[in-house]
């Protein structure tokens, strides 16, 4: 009798332990994640999303984040043409609209952060650039992003607000390309995001008031044909969390008005 009672008691304890384990898994927001999460993100998110991807992998053992950075317009085109991706983070609502209009978003995008333009110049500002008007001076070579790219569209708005017309020395397909022209000494200045200058070595940022007329919202969305929808949703939650926002704002991004 005693032995049977002990066996019954042990069986009950085992069943309770298994029940509690099951409950814990259901309550854990990391449950169900795993595999690969493929993220297409604007080039200006390179440094922050690289860190956020590593943080996400550490918090979700067994999950791998694959990041594809490029100009938002190029990424949007790739997505609508069937490129496999789970998450899209764009540098403007206009480029996100390409994806949502094509029916490739799993739901409405959420604004992740905002970004603002500055003039990138070499450290020491040898050409004494103080504002947008100085970019139109004879002999000053300027790099801009192409107009279809969010940083190019923002630059066009800012230059129009300042009443400045200039002929760029080069038009680049993403913000990193424009920034590299200054780093390599091929141009004297570039209109890029504040966050990109902050992440670069050997450059300085010149602020200008017209940048307030060209602030870019960065929307993010889980894609309709995501191969890993659970992982995609978890990644979006991660980057939109308070911890994720802290990483982004530390890099110079601005929190969206709703935060």
């Amino acid at each position: 009798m005693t032995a049977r009672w002990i066996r019954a008691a042990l069986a009950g304890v085992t069943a309770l332990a298994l029940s509690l384990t099951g409950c814990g898994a259901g309550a854990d927001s990391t449950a169900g994640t795993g595999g690969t999460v493929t993220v297409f993100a604007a080039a200006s998110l390179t440094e922050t999303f690289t860190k956020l991807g590593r943080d996400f992998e550490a918090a979700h053992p067994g999950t791998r984040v694959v990041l594809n950075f490029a100009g938002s317009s190029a990424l949007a085109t790739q997505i609508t043409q069937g490129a496999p991706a789970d998450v899209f983070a764009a540098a403007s609502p206009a480029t996100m609209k390409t994806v949502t209009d094509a029916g490739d978003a799993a739901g409405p995008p959420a604004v992740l952060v905002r970004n603002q333009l500055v003039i990138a110049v070499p450290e020491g500002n040898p050409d004494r650039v103080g504002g947008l008007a100085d970019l139109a001076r004879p002999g000053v070579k300027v790099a801009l992003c192409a107009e279809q790219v969010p940083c190019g569209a923002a630059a066009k708005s800012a230059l129009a607000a300042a009443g400045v017309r200039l002929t760029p020395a080069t038009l680049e397909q993403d913000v990193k390309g424009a920034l590299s022209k200054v780093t390599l000494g091929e141009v004297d200045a570039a209109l890029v995001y504040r966050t990109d200058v902050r992440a670069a070595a050997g450059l300085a940022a010149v602020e200008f008031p017209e940048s307030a007329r060209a602030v870019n919202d960065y929307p993010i969305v889980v894609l309709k044909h995501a191969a890993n929808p659970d992982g995609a949703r978890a990644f979006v939650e991660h980057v939109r969390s308070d911890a994720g926002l802290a990483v982004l704002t530390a890099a110079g991004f601005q929190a969206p008005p709703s935060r």
Side-chain angles (χ1 to χ4, degrees), residues 121-131 134-135 137 140 188 206:
V121 297
E123 264 183 355
N125 194 3
D127 289 293
R128 299 292 183 264
V129 173
D134 293 329
L135 300 181
R137 292 197 321 246
V140 177
D188 305 304
V206 177

Side-chain angles (χ1 to χ4, degrees), residues 125-199:
N125 194 3
D127 289 293
R128 299 292 183 264
V129 173
L132 292 180
D134 293 329
L135 300 181
R137 292 197 321 246
V140 177
K141 292 183 289 185
V142 180
L144 298 179
C145 295
E147 281 187 25
Q148 70 269 23
V149 181
C151 64
K156 181 180 179 181
S157 296
L159 289 166
V164 173
R165 299 183 67 179
L166 60 85
T167 301
T170 180
L171 290 171
E172 299 298 315
Q173 293 306 306
D174 63 53
V175 70
K176 296 298 186 185
L179 191 73
S180 70
K181 296 297 182 180
V182 186
T183 303
L184 295 171
E186 296 179 11
V187 300
D188 305 304
L191 276 174
V192 298
Y193 296 119
R194 180 184 293 152
T195 53
D196 293 290
V197 179
R198 187 176 291 194

Side-chain angles (χ1 to χ4, degrees), residues 208-236:
F208 57 94
E210 295 86 1
S211 68
R213 304 280 291 275
V215 175
N216 274 11
D217 286 341
Y218 280 52
I220 188 169
V221 75
V222 173
L223 295 170
K224 183 177 181 179
H225 302 293
N228 186 357
D230 290 338
R233 284 189 290 270
F235 181 81
V236 171

Side-chain angles (χ1 to χ4, degrees), residues 41-54 67-70 174-176 195-196 199 218 248 253:
S44 49
L45 291 166
T46 299
E47 292 80 14
T48 49
F49 266 41
T50 297
K51 173 173 172 44
L52 289 167
R54 288 197 300 263
L67 297 161
N68 178 25
F69 297 109
D174 63 53
V175 70
K176 296 298 186 185
T195 53
D196 293 290
Y218 280 52
L248 290 157
F253 288 97

